[in-house]
Amino acid sequence: MTVVFTITFGLLSAAGVLAILRLAKGPRTLDRILALDVLLVLIVAGVAVGIASSLKGFNIALLITVALLAFVGSIAAIRLVERWEEYR
C-alpha cells in the first residue's frame, strides 16, 4: 500500500502544480477562482490520503469542515464577481 500512497501523492502534487499555474495565468477572475477551488480540493484529497496512510482517523471532522468552507468560499467569491461584473 505504500506504493499506492506514494503514487497518489505524486499525482495530486502534479495536479496541484497545474492548478497553481492556472491560478497564476488566469486569464479571467472566474478562472482563477475555479483554479483555487481545485487546489483546495486537491489539498483536502491529499490530507485524506495522509489520514488513510497513517490509519488515524481523528482529523476527519476537520477535513470535512475545511472542504465545506472551501465550497462555501468558492460560491461566495463567484457570486461576488458576478455582481461586480454586473455593475461595470
Side-chain angles (χ1 to χ4, degrees):
M1 279 308 279
T2 306
V3 174
V4 173
F5 291 134
T6 305
I7 291 171
T8 304
F9 277 129
L11 290 173
L12 287 172
S13 298
V17 169
L18 292 174
I20 289 172
L21 288 174
R22 175 50 65 190
L23 183 65
K25 190 173 179 181
R28 295 180 306 177
T29 306
L30 290 176
D31 293 330
R32 290 185 173 134
I33 292 171
L34 182 63
L36 185 62
D37 189 40
V38 168
L39 188 61
L40 289 171
V41 167
L42 291 172
I43 290 170
V44 168
V47 172
V49 172
I51 289 172
S53 68
S54 69
L55 298 175
K56 295 179 181 162
F58 58 88
N59 289 330
I60 292 176
L62 179 64
L63 187 67
I64 293 170
T65 305
V66 170
L68 286 173
L69 284 173
F71 174 73
V72 170
S74 296
I75 296 300
I78 288 171
R79 294 189 86 184
L80 179 68
V81 168
E82 186 179 81
R83 288 184 183 174
W84 184 50
E85 288 178 354
E86 192 176 286
Y87 289 117
R88 275 181 154 188

Coordinates of all heavy atoms in Angstrom, one line a residue:
M1 N 0.8 -1.2 0.0 CA 0.0 0.0 0.0 C 0.9 1.3 0.0 O 0.4 2.3 -0.4 CB -0.9 0.0 1.2 CG -2.2 -0.8 1.1 SD -3.1 -0.5 -0.4 CE -4.1 0.9 0.1
T2 N 2.1 1.2 0.5 CA 3.0 2.3 0.5 C 3.2 2.9 -0.9 O 3.2 4.1 -1.2 CB 4.3 2.0 1.1 OG1 4.0 1.4 2.4 CG2 5.2 3.2 1.3
V3 N 3.3 2.0 -1.9 CA 3.5 2.4 -3.3 C 2.3 3.1 -3.8 O 2.4 4.1 -4.5 CB 3.8 1.1 -4.2 CG1 3.9 1.5 -5.6 CG2 5.1 0.5 -3.7
V4 N 1.1 2.6 -3.4 CA -0.1 3.3 -3.9 C -0.2 4.7 -3.3 O -0.6 5.6 -4.0 CB -1.4 2.4 -3.5 CG1 -2.7 3.2 -3.8 CG2 -1.3 1.1 -4.2
F5 N 0.1 4.8 -2.0 CA 0.0 6.2 -1.4 C 1.1 7.1 -2.0 O 0.8 8.3 -2.2 CB 0.3 6.1 0.1 CG -0.9 5.4 0.9 CD1 -0.6 4.4 1.8 CD2 -2.2 5.8 0.6 CE1 -1.7 3.9 2.5 CE2 -3.2 5.2 1.3 CZ -3.0 4.2 2.2
T6 N 2.2 6.6 -2.3 CA 3.3 7.4 -3.0 C 2.8 7.9 -4.3 O 3.0 9.1 -4.7 CB 4.6 6.6 -3.0 OG1 4.9 6.2 -1.7 CG2 5.7 7.5 -3.6
I7 N 2.3 7.0 -5.1 CA 1.8 7.3 -6.5 C 0.7 8.3 -6.4 O 0.6 9.3 -7.1 CB 1.4 6.1 -7.2 CG1 2.6 5.2 -7.6 CG2 0.6 6.4 -8.5 CD1 2.2 3.8 -8.1
T8 N -0.2 8.1 -5.4 CA -1.3 9.1 -5.2 C -0.9 10.5 -4.9 O -1.3 11.5 -5.4 CB -2.3 8.5 -4.2 OG1 -2.7 7.2 -4.5 CG2 -3.5 9.4 -4.0
F9 N 0.1 10.5 -3.9 CA 0.7 11.8 -3.6 C 1.4 12.5 -4.7 O 1.3 13.7 -4.9 CB 1.7 11.7 -2.4 CG 1.0 11.7 -1.1 CD1 1.3 10.7 -0.1 CD2 0.1 12.6 -0.7 CE1 0.7 10.6 1.1 CE2 -0.5 12.6 0.6 CZ -0.2 11.6 1.5
G10 N 2.0 11.7 -5.6 CA 2.7 12.2 -6.7 C 1.7 12.8 -7.8 O 1.9 13.9 -8.3
L11 N 0.6 12.1 -8.0 CA -0.4 12.6 -8.9 C -1.1 13.8 -8.4 O -1.4 14.7 -9.2 CB -1.4 11.5 -9.2 CG -0.9 10.3 -10.1 CD1 -1.9 9.2 -10.1 CD2 -0.5 10.8 -11.4
L12 N -1.4 13.8 -7.1 CA -2.0 15.0 -6.5 C -1.1 16.2 -6.6 O -1.5 17.3 -6.8 CB -2.4 14.7 -5.1 CG -3.6 13.8 -4.9 CD1 -3.8 13.5 -3.4 CD2 -4.9 14.5 -5.4
S13 N 0.2 16.0 -6.4 CA 1.2 17.1 -6.5 C 1.3 17.6 -7.9 O 1.3 18.8 -8.1 CB 2.6 16.6 -6.0 OG 2.5 16.2 -4.7
A14 N 1.3 16.7 -8.9 CA 1.3 17.2 -10.3 C 0.0 18.0 -10.6 O 0.1 19.0 -11.3 CB 1.4 16.0 -11.2
A15 N -1.1 17.5 -10.1 CA -2.3 18.3 -10.4 C -2.3 19.6 -9.6 O -2.8 20.6 -10.1 CB -3.5 17.4 -9.9
G16 N -1.7 19.6 -8.5 CA -1.6 20.9 -7.7 C -0.7 21.9 -8.4 O -1.0 23.1 -8.5
V17 N 0.4 21.4 -9.1 CA 1.2 22.3 -9.8 C 0.5 22.9 -11.0 O 0.6 24.1 -11.3 CB 2.5 21.6 -10.3 CG1 3.3 22.4 -11.3 CG2 3.4 21.3 -9.1
L18 N -0.3 22.1 -11.7 CA -1.1 22.6 -12.8 C -2.2 23.6 -12.4 O -2.4 24.6 -13.0 CB -1.7 21.4 -13.5 CG -0.8 20.5 -14.3 CD1 -1.5 19.3 -14.8 CD2 -0.1 21.2 -15.4
A19 N -2.8 23.3 -11.2 CA -3.8 24.3 -10.7 C -3.1 25.6 -10.3 O -3.7 26.7 -10.5 CB -4.5 23.7 -9.5
I20 N -1.9 25.6 -9.8 CA -1.2 26.8 -9.4 C -0.9 27.6 -10.7 O -0.9 28.8 -10.7 CB 0.0 26.5 -8.6 CG1 -0.4 26.0 -7.2 CG2 1.0 27.7 -8.5 CD1 0.7 25.5 -6.3
L21 N -0.5 26.9 -11.7 CA -0.2 27.5 -13.0 C -1.4 28.2 -13.5 O -1.4 29.4 -14.0 CB 0.4 26.5 -14.0 CG 1.8 26.1 -13.8 CD1 2.1 25.0 -14.8 CD2 2.8 27.2 -13.9
R22 N -2.6 27.6 -13.5 CA -3.8 28.2 -13.9 C -4.2 29.3 -13.0 O -4.7 30.4 -13.5 CB -4.9 27.1 -13.9 CG -6.3 27.7 -14.3 CD -6.4 28.5 -15.5 NE -6.1 27.7 -16.7 CZ -5.9 28.3 -17.9 NH1 -6.0 29.6 -18.1 NH2 -5.6 27.5 -18.9
L23 N -3.9 29.2 -11.8 CA -4.2 30.3 -10.8 C -3.4 31.5 -11.2 O -3.9 32.7 -11.1 CB -3.9 29.9 -9.4 CG -4.2 30.8 -8.3 CD1 -5.7 31.1 -8.2 CD2 -3.8 30.2 -6.9
A24 N -2.1 31.3 -11.5 CA -1.2 32.5 -11.8 C -1.5 33.0 -13.2 O -1.5 34.2 -13.4 CB 0.2 32.0 -11.8
K25 N -1.9 32.2 -14.2 CA -2.0 32.6 -15.6 C -3.3 33.3 -15.8 O -3.4 34.3 -16.6 CB -1.8 31.4 -16.5 CG -1.7 31.8 -17.9 CD -1.4 30.6 -18.8 CE -1.3 31.0 -20.2 NZ -1.0 29.9 -21.1
G26 N -4.4 32.8 -15.2 CA -5.7 33.5 -15.4 C -6.5 32.9 -16.5 O -6.8 31.8 -16.5
P27 N -6.9 33.6 -17.5 CA -6.9 35.0 -17.9 C -8.0 35.8 -17.2 O -8.0 37.0 -17.2 CB -7.1 34.9 -19.4 CG -7.9 33.7 -19.6 CD -7.4 32.7 -18.5
R28 N -9.1 35.1 -16.7 CA -10.2 35.9 -16.1 C -10.2 35.5 -14.6 O -9.6 34.6 -14.1 CB -11.5 35.5 -16.7 CG -11.6 35.8 -18.2 CD -13.0 35.4 -18.8 NE -13.1 34.0 -18.5 CZ -14.2 33.3 -18.8 NH1 -15.2 33.9 -19.4 NH2 -14.3 32.0 -18.6
T29 N -11.0 36.3 -13.9 CA -11.1 36.1 -12.4 C -11.8 34.8 -12.1 O -11.4 34.1 -11.2 CB -11.9 37.3 -11.8 OG1 -11.3 38.5 -12.2 CG2 -11.9 37.2 -10.3
L30 N -12.8 34.5 -12.9 CA -13.5 33.2 -12.6 C -12.6 32.0 -12.8 O -12.8 31.0 -12.1 CB -14.8 33.1 -13.5 CG -15.9 34.1 -13.1 CD1 -17.0 34.0 -14.1 CD2 -16.4 33.9 -11.7
D31 N -11.7 32.1 -13.8 CA -10.7 31.0 -14.0 C -9.8 30.8 -12.8 O -9.5 29.7 -12.4 CB -9.9 31.3 -15.2 CG -10.7 31.2 -16.5 OD1 -11.7 30.5 -16.6 OD2 -10.3 31.9 -17.5
R32 N -9.5 32.0 -12.2 CA -8.6 31.9 -11.0 C -9.4 31.4 -9.8 O -8.8 30.6 -9.0 CB -8.1 33.3 -10.7 CG -7.1 33.7 -11.8 CD -6.4 35.0 -11.4 NE -5.3 35.3 -12.4 CZ -5.2 36.4 -13.0 NH1 -5.9 37.4 -12.8 NH2 -4.2 36.5 -13.9
I33 N -10.6 31.8 -9.7 CA -11.4 31.2 -8.6 C -11.6 29.7 -8.7 O -11.5 29.0 -7.7 CB -12.8 31.9 -8.5 CG1 -12.6 33.4 -8.1 CG2 -13.7 31.2 -7.5 CD1 -13.8 34.2 -8.2
L34 N -11.9 29.3 -9.9 CA -12.0 27.8 -10.2 C -10.7 27.1 -9.9 O -10.7 26.0 -9.3 CB -12.5 27.6 -11.6 CG -12.7 26.1 -12.0 CD1 -13.8 25.6 -11.2 CD2 -13.0 26.0 -13.5
A35 N -9.6 27.7 -10.3 CA -8.3 27.0 -10.0 C -8.0 27.0 -8.5 O -7.5 26.0 -8.0 CB -7.2 27.8 -10.7
L36 N -8.4 28.0 -7.8 CA -8.2 28.0 -6.3 C -9.1 26.9 -5.7 O -8.7 26.2 -4.8 CB -8.5 29.4 -5.7 CG -8.3 29.5 -4.3 CD1 -6.8 29.3 -3.9 CD2 -8.7 30.9 -3.8
D37 N -10.3 26.8 -6.2 CA -11.2 25.7 -5.7 C -10.7 24.3 -6.0 O -10.7 23.5 -5.1 CB -12.6 25.9 -6.3 CG -13.6 25.0 -5.7 OD1 -13.6 24.8 -4.4 OD2 -14.5 24.4 -6.4
V38 N -10.1 24.1 -7.2 CA -9.5 22.8 -7.5 C -8.3 22.6 -6.6 O -8.1 21.5 -6.1 CB -9.1 22.8 -9.0 CG1 -8.2 21.6 -9.3 CG2 -10.3 22.8 -9.9
L39 N -7.5 23.6 -6.3 CA -6.4 23.5 -5.4 C -6.8 23.1 -4.0 O -6.2 22.2 -3.4 CB -5.6 24.8 -5.4 CG -4.2 24.7 -4.7 CD1 -3.3 23.7 -5.4 CD2 -3.6 26.1 -4.7
L40 N -7.9 23.7 -3.5 CA -8.4 23.3 -2.2 C -8.9 21.9 -2.2 O -8.7 21.2 -1.2 CB -9.4 24.3 -1.8 CG -8.9 25.7 -1.4 CD1 -10.1 26.7 -1.3 CD2 -8.1 25.7 -0.2
V41 N -9.5 21.5 -3.2 CA -10.0 20.1 -3.3 C -8.8 19.1 -3.3 O -8.8 18.1 -2.6 CB -10.9 19.9 -4.5 CG1 -11.1 18.4 -4.8 CG2 -12.2 20.6 -4.4
L42 N -7.7 19.5 -4.0 CA -6.5 18.7 -4.0 C -5.9 18.6 -2.7 O -5.4 17.5 -2.3 CB -5.6 19.2 -5.1 CG -6.0 19.0 -6.5 CD1 -5.0 19.7 -7.5 CD2 -6.1 17.5 -6.9
I43 N -5.9 19.7 -2.0 CA -5.3 19.7 -0.6 C -6.1 18.8 0.3 O -5.6 18.0 1.1 CB -5.2 21.1 -0.1 CG1 -4.2 21.9 -0.8 CG2 -5.0 21.2 1.4 CD1 -4.1 23.4 -0.5
V44 N -7.4 18.9 0.2 CA -8.3 18.0 1.0 C -8.1 16.6 0.7 O -8.0 15.7 1.6 CB -9.8 18.4 0.9 CG1 -10.7 17.4 1.5 CG2 -10.0 19.8 1.5
A45 N -7.9 16.3 -0.6 CA -7.7 14.9 -1.0 C -6.3 14.4 -0.5 O -6.2 13.3 -0.1 CB -7.8 14.8 -2.6
G46 N -5.3 15.3 -0.6 CA -4.0 14.9 -0.1 C -4.0 14.6 1.4 O -3.4 13.7 1.9
V47 N -4.8 15.4 2.2 CA -4.9 15.2 3.6 C -5.6 13.9 3.9 O -5.3 13.1 4.8 CB -5.6 16.4 4.3 CG1 -5.9 16.1 5.8 CG2 -4.7 17.6 4.2
A48 N -6.7 13.6 3.1 CA -7.4 12.4 3.2 C -6.5 11.2 2.9 O -6.6 10.2 3.7 CB -8.6 12.4 2.3
V49 N -5.7 11.3 1.9 CA -4.7 10.2 1.7 C -3.7 10.0 2.8 O -3.4 8.9 3.2 CB -4.0 10.4 0.3 CG1 -2.9 9.4 0.1 CG2 -5.0 10.3 -0.8
G50 N -3.3 11.2 3.4 CA -2.4 11.1 4.5 C -3.1 10.4 5.7 O -2.4 9.7 6.5
I51 N -4.3 10.7 5.9 CA -5.1 10.1 7.0 C -5.2 8.6 6.8 O -5.0 7.8 7.7 CB -6.5 10.8 7.2 CG1 -6.3 12.2 7.8 CG2 -7.4 9.9 8.1 CD1 -7.6 12.9 7.8
A52 N -5.5 8.2 5.5 CA -5.6 6.8 5.2 C -4.3 6.1 5.4 O -4.2 4.9 5.8 CB -6.1 6.6 3.8
S53 N -3.2 6.8 5.0 CA -1.9 6.1 5.1 C -1.4 5.9 6.6 O -0.7 5.0 6.9 CB -0.8 6.8 4.3 OG -0.5 8.1 4.9
S54 N -1.8 6.9 7.5 CA -1.4 6.8 8.9 C -2.4 5.9 9.7 O -2.1 5.6 10.9 CB -1.3 8.2 9.5 OG -2.6 8.8 9.6
L55 N -3.5 5.6 9.1 CA -4.6 4.8 9.8 C -5.1 5.4 11.1 O -5.4 4.8 12.1 CB -4.0 3.4 10.1 CG -3.7 2.5 8.9 CD1 -3.0 1.2 9.4 CD2 -4.9 2.3 8.0
K56 N -5.0 6.8 11.1 CA -5.6 7.5 12.3 C -6.7 8.4 11.8 O -6.4 9.3 11.0 CB -4.5 8.3 13.0 CG -3.4 7.4 13.6 CD -2.3 8.2 14.2 CE -1.3 7.2 14.8 NZ -0.1 7.8 15.1
G57 N -7.9 8.2 12.2 CA -9.0 9.0 11.7 C -9.5 10.1 12.5 O -10.6 10.5 12.4
F58 N -8.6 10.7 13.4 CA -9.1 11.7 14.3 C -9.2 13.1 13.6 O -9.8 14.0 14.2 CB -8.2 11.8 15.5 CG -6.8 12.1 15.3 CD1 -6.3 13.4 15.1 CD2 -5.9 11.1 15.1 CE1 -5.0 13.7 14.9 CE2 -4.6 11.3 14.9 CZ -4.1 12.6 14.8
N59 N -8.7 13.2 12.4 CA -8.8 14.5 11.7 C -9.9 14.6 10.6 O -10.0 15.5 9.9 CB -7.5 14.8 10.9 CG -6.3 15.1 11.9 OD1 -6.6 15.7 13.0 ND2 -5.1 14.8 11.5
I60 N -10.8 13.6 10.6 CA -11.8 13.6 9.6 C -12.8 14.7 9.7 O -13.2 15.3 8.8 CB -12.5 12.2 9.6 CG1 -11.5 11.1 9.2 CG2 -13.7 12.2 8.7 CD1 -12.0 9.7 9.2
A61 N -13.2 15.1 11.0 CA -14.1 16.2 11.2 C -13.5 17.5 10.7 O -14.2 18.3 10.1 CB -14.5 16.3 12.6
L62 N -12.2 17.7 10.9 CA -11.5 18.9 10.5 C -11.4 18.9 8.9 O -11.6 19.9 8.3 CB -10.1 18.9 11.1 CG -9.2 20.1 10.6 CD1 -9.8 21.4 11.1 CD2 -7.8 19.9 11.2
L63 N -11.2 17.7 8.4 CA -11.2 17.6 6.9 C -12.5 18.0 6.3 O -12.6 18.7 5.3 CB -10.8 16.2 6.5 CG -10.5 15.9 5.1 CD1 -9.2 16.6 4.6 CD2 -10.3 14.4 4.9
I64 N -13.6 17.5 6.8 CA -14.9 17.8 6.3 C -15.2 19.3 6.5 O -15.8 19.9 5.6 CB -16.0 16.9 7.0 CG1 -15.8 15.5 6.6 CG2 -17.4 17.4 6.7 CD1 -16.6 14.5 7.4
T65 N -14.8 19.9 7.6 CA -15.0 21.3 7.8 C -14.3 22.2 6.8 O -14.9 23.1 6.2 CB -14.6 21.7 9.2 OG1 -15.3 20.9 10.2 CG2 -14.9 23.1 9.5
V66 N -13.1 21.8 6.5 CA -12.3 22.6 5.5 C -12.9 22.4 4.1 O -12.9 23.4 3.4 CB -10.8 22.1 5.6 CG1 -10.0 22.7 4.4 CG2 -10.1 22.5 6.9
A67 N -13.3 21.2 3.8 CA -13.9 21.0 2.5 C -15.2 21.9 2.3 O -15.5 22.5 1.3 CB -14.2 19.6 2.3
L68 N -16.0 21.9 3.4 CA -17.3 22.7 3.3 C -17.0 24.2 3.2 O -17.6 24.9 2.5 CB -18.2 22.4 4.5 CG -18.9 21.0 4.5 CD1 -19.6 20.8 5.8 CD2 -19.8 21.0 3.3
L69 N -16.0 24.7 4.0 CA -15.6 26.1 4.0 C -15.0 26.5 2.6 O -15.3 27.6 2.1 CB -14.6 26.4 5.1 CG -15.2 26.5 6.5 CD1 -14.1 26.7 7.5 CD2 -16.1 27.7 6.5
A70 N -14.3 25.6 2.0 CA -13.8 25.8 0.6 C -14.9 25.9 -0.4 O -14.9 26.8 -1.2 CB -12.8 24.7 0.2
F71 N -15.9 25.1 -0.3 CA -17.0 25.1 -1.2 C -17.8 26.4 -1.0 O -18.1 27.1 -2.0 CB -17.9 23.9 -0.9 CG -19.2 23.9 -1.7 CD1 -19.2 23.7 -3.1 CD2 -20.4 24.2 -1.1 CE1 -20.3 23.8 -3.8 CE2 -21.6 24.2 -1.9 CZ -21.5 24.0 -3.2
V72 N -18.1 26.8 0.3 CA -18.9 28.0 0.5 C -18.1 29.2 0.1 O -18.7 30.2 -0.5 CB -19.3 28.0 2.0 CG1 -19.9 29.4 2.4 CG2 -20.3 26.9 2.3
G73 N -16.8 29.2 0.3 CA -16.0 30.3 -0.1 C -15.9 30.5 -1.6 O -16.0 31.6 -2.1
S74 N -15.9 29.4 -2.3 CA -15.9 29.5 -3.8 C -17.2 30.0 -4.3 O -17.2 30.9 -5.2 CB -15.6 28.1 -4.4 OG -14.4 27.6 -4.0
I75 N -18.3 29.6 -3.7 CA -19.6 30.1 -4.2 C -19.7 31.6 -3.9 O -20.2 32.3 -4.7 CB -20.7 29.3 -3.5 CG1 -20.7 27.8 -3.9 CG2 -22.1 29.9 -3.8 CD1 -20.8 27.6 -5.4
A76 N -19.3 32.0 -2.7 CA -19.4 33.4 -2.3 C -18.5 34.2 -3.3 O -18.9 35.3 -3.7 CB -18.9 33.6 -0.9
A77 N -17.3 33.8 -3.6 CA -16.4 34.5 -4.5 C -17.0 34.6 -5.9 O -17.0 35.7 -6.5 CB -15.1 33.9 -4.5
I78 N -17.6 33.6 -6.4 CA -18.2 33.6 -7.7 C -19.4 34.5 -7.7 O -19.6 35.3 -8.7 CB -18.6 32.1 -8.1 CG1 -17.4 31.3 -8.4 CG2 -19.6 32.2 -9.3 CD1 -17.7 29.9 -8.6
R79 N -20.2 34.5 -6.7 CA -21.4 35.5 -6.7 C -20.9 36.9 -6.6 O -21.5 37.8 -7.2 CB -22.3 35.1 -5.5 CG -22.9 33.8 -5.7 CD -24.0 33.5 -4.7 NE -25.2 34.1 -5.3 CZ -26.3 34.1 -4.6 NH1 -26.4 33.7 -3.4 NH2 -27.4 34.7 -5.2
L80 N -19.8 37.2 -5.8 CA -19.3 38.5 -5.7 C -18.7 39.0 -7.1 O -19.0 40.1 -7.5 CB -18.1 38.5 -4.7 CG -17.4 39.9 -4.5 CD1 -18.4 40.8 -3.8 CD2 -16.2 39.7 -3.6
V81 N -18.0 38.1 -7.8 CA -17.5 38.5 -9.1 C -18.6 38.7 -10.1 O -18.6 39.7 -10.9 CB -16.5 37.4 -9.6 CG1 -16.2 37.6 -11.1 CG2 -15.3 37.4 -8.8
E82 N -19.7 37.9 -10.0 CA -20.8 38.0 -10.9 C -21.5 39.4 -10.7 O -21.9 40.0 -11.6 CB -21.8 36.9 -10.6 CG -22.9 36.8 -11.5 CD -23.8 35.6 -11.2 OE1 -24.6 35.7 -10.2 OE2 -23.7 34.6 -11.8
R83 N -21.7 39.7 -9.4 CA -22.3 41.0 -9.1 C -21.4 42.2 -9.5 O -21.9 43.2 -10.0 CB -22.7 41.1 -7.7 CG -23.9 40.3 -7.3 CD -24.2 40.4 -5.9 NE -25.3 39.5 -5.5 CZ -25.8 39.4 -4.3 NH1 -25.3 40.1 -3.3 NH2 -26.8 38.5 -4.1
W84 N -20.1 42.0 -9.3 CA -19.2 43.1 -9.7 C -19.2 43.4 -11.2 O -19.2 44.5 -11.6 CB -17.8 42.7 -9.2 CG -16.8 43.8 -9.4 CD1 -16.9 45.1 -9.0 CD2 -15.5 43.6 -9.9 NE1 -15.7 45.8 -9.3 CE2 -14.9 44.9 -9.9 CE3 -14.8 42.5 -10.5 CZ2 -13.6 45.1 -10.4 CZ3 -13.5 42.7 -10.9 CH2 -12.9 44.0 -10.9
E85 N -19.2 42.3 -12.0 CA -19.2 42.4 -13.4 C -20.6 43.0 -13.9 O -20.7 43.6 -14.9 CB -18.9 41.1 -14.1 CG -17.5 40.7 -13.9 CD -17.2 39.3 -14.6 OE1 -18.2 38.7 -15.0 OE2 -16.0 39.0 -14.6
E86 N -21.6 42.7 -13.1 CA -23.0 43.2 -13.5 C -23.0 44.8 -13.4 O -23.7 45.4 -14.2 CB -24.0 42.6 -12.6 CG -25.4 42.8 -13.0 CD -26.3 42.0 -12.0 OE1 -26.3 40.8 -12.1 OE2 -26.9 42.7 -11.1
Y87 N -22.3 45.3 -12.4 CA -22.3 46.8 -12.2 C -21.3 47.5 -13.1 O -21.3 48.7 -13.1 CB -22.0 47.1 -10.7 CG -23.2 46.7 -9.8 CD1 -23.0 45.8 -8.8 CD2 -24.4 47.3 -10.0 CE1 -24.0 45.5 -8.0 CE2 -25.5 47.0 -9.2 CZ -25.3 46.1 -8.2 OH -26.3 45.7 -7.3
R88 N -20.5 46.9 -13.7 CA -19.5 47.5 -14.6 C -20.1 48.1 -15.8 O -20.9 47.9 -16.5 CB -18.4 46.5 -15.1 CG -17.3 46.3 -14.1 CD -16.4 45.4 -14.7 NE -15.1 45.6 -14.2 CZ -14.0 45.0 -14.6 NH1 -14.1 44.1 -15.6 NH2 -12.9 45.1 -14.1

